[in-house]
Amino acid sequence: MEERVKCLGLVGAGIVLGTVSTVFLLKLLPRSVAKQCEEKAIKINGNGLVSENSEGCTVSGNKNHGMAGLDLLKDEIVSEQLTSHAASMLLRSGVGRLLLVDFDQVSLSSLNRHAVATRADVGFLKAQCLKEHFLSIYPECHIDAKVLLYDASSEAEILSGNPDFVLDCIDNIDTKVALLAACVRRGLKVLSATGAGARADPSRIRVADLKESTNDPLSRAVRHRLRKDHGIDGGIPVVFSLEKPKAKLLPFKGPSGEEENPSDYQIVPGFRVRIIPVLGTIPAIFGQVMASYVVTQLAGLQVQTEPVVNLDMDHYWILHQRLIEHEELLYGTAMEVQVDIEEVMYVAKELWHGRSAREQSPKDIGRGMWRSVNELMLVRWDRAKPESVSNLILLKFIEADEHESSTLDDIKEKEPEVFRRVTSVLKRAELDFGL
């Protein structure tokens, strides 16, 4: 029987609020180990619950719930700081093989946001620290700790195992861009974490495409570099916060109290030595979100993440009014309008993400979305049915005029992909509202 192994690795390089780390899920487990898991096995059952497992990993379930049969427990992880929380939860979820990669040491300032490090660990290698603590939690896990900095010379060693997933938490732009570009080039799935420092509101943390992230200087810089240097325009999911940073780096002062050049104190060229203030709960939640994303993706569980839509109630009120006026103009009455403001919000935000139903990917983000709503309106998808959450699409004015002059049969015949995508989204509304 062919060997099939999965390994999850998290690679640290520098500092994500005191560290830089990345997680990789690689294929490293022989199928023959599966028999050793019969007594203790991880299973995601039909109810989506997880039961204990010790050795080897099988994530399986009722395919009617969208679960694919997967081997997870022999996965390999690499982690620290922000992602020490991601790695810790992946470990506790049954990952059976960990590769911990980081060139740095545990610092006193990082204890407020580290998942497992204690005062006694200060000064020790971060990767080794995680290994020792993780083995006390899950001694059956196979863990390897490497003191490495991710760069072109270490790319093959880290990525050549064909990871199933990569969790990137690097905060140095050059290194982050290089890793993400390598993942795209190699066709690897990757989830990237952006800035967690100087934030305090956990309710604003989101998962979205890199090109949809807003209010994050790191995302903006990475987005620009990927497009300019590698021709990569989105397609990479990121964990980020919609909250604007509440603090900036202070002037760097040396031992004498005089302002000095921070680069003179760098251990590694290009990595900053100053740390943005960090509320320890935020990096922890970032890591938890990353772990949840990876586990659900590997299990084949489809989770609808919170859309990044920067609209307020006035915008939804305008869309509702346009809908009523359009109905009166076209049908002579608005009596068949069956949605209120809250349902308009659901349709515009949850279903269509604040953009035209004909747009497959976002073109306007941040303030651009505020401007673009001025060109959007809600119309019936099927004119033979009344307006409801499951029969409304968001279109630009010119698209709405064209839609009203065509039939669903025309769209199905001439634009089958548009027809398939729209009907799929509207089907979701039927399920959400029990229609």
Side-chain angles (χ1 to χ4, degrees), residues 72-89:
L72 291 182
L73 260 189
K74 286 286 177 180
D75 299 344
E76 193 163 353
I77 298 187
V78 190
S79 134
E80 222 294 303
Q81 302 299 12
L82 181 154
T83 41
S84 67
H85 291 274
S88 177
M89 289 313 302

Side-chain angles (χ1 to χ4, degrees), residues 2-57:
E2 293 185 1
E3 281 194 8
R4 184 185 173 192
V5 223
K6 291 183 178 172
C7 131
L8 183 62
L10 178 124
V11 174
I15 42 176
V16 172
L17 315 169
T19 190
V20 180
S21 354
T22 308
V23 180
F24 300 91
L25 194 52
L26 309 170
K27 296 181 178 177
L28 276 194
L29 167 70
R31 288 275 186 186
S32 58
V33 179
K35 293 183 179 179
Q36 302 174 15
C37 310
E38 292 180 357
E39 294 184 0
K40 294 182 178 180
I42 276 194
K43 292 185 179 180
I44 294 184
N45 58 33
N47 295 322
L49 301 178
V50 181
S51 57
E52 278 192 331
N53 188 338
S54 174
E55 177 72 21
C57 167

